[in-house]
Amino acid sequence: QVQLVESGGGLVQPGGSLRLSCAASGSIFSINAMGWYRQAPGKERELVATITSGSSPNYVDSVKGRFTISRDNAKNTAYLQMNSLKPEDTAVYYCNAVIRPLTAPFAYGYWGQGTQVTVSS
């Protein structure tokens, strides 16, 4: 059983910072790409940032220069450092990872349960 657990969400004022964590656990053979998505009320889920197994990042234009994605392969954990937060960053943030379980010949996409980020004064 593979599980992704996010943490680090909360309420922050505009211009503030938060750091999200996504820890993968269970019977894992390997983890490929990891990423963060977000879904605001009434909107579709959108990609925020991804990072390859070799730690090459990619960002949606709206967060470039403000957000930084990183990962610690030894801990099976990805991070999203969010700076200069804006009210429009308010959303539920979801972690996604492409993971090959120990018992499977293929990798699958897994989702975390989501963590709420609210940017408001």
Side-chain angles (χ1 to χ4, degrees), residues 30-35 50-57 71-74 98:
S30 63
I31 302 177
N32 299 330
M34 302 183 78
T50 61
I51 188 166
T52 67
S53 57
S55 294
S56 178
R71 63 190 287 171
D72 184 334
N73 290 332
V98 179

Side-chain angles (χ1 to χ4, degrees), residues 37-103:
Y37 292 70
R38 65 187 179 187
Q39 188 167 18
K43 294 187 177 181
E44 293 187 353
R45 190 173 298 190
E46 66 169 353
L47 175 67
V48 176
T50 61
I51 188 166
T52 67
S53 57
S55 294
S56 178
N58 191 36
Y59 302 94
V60 66
D61 286 346
S62 60
V63 307
K64 283 181 179 177
R66 300 189 298 121
F67 291 10
T68 302
I69 189 171
S70 62
R71 63 190 287 171
D72 184 334
N73 290 332
K75 296 181 178 180
N76 289 340
T77 300
Y79 304 95
L80 186 67
Q81 177 67 44
M82 304 185 293
N83 299 329
S84 302
L85 282 160
K86 305 175 180 180
E88 51 264 41
D89 294 318
T90 295
V92 177
Y93 283 70
Y94 296 92
C95 177
N96 174 271
V98 179
I99 298 173
R100 179 182 168 184
L102 280 172
T103 56

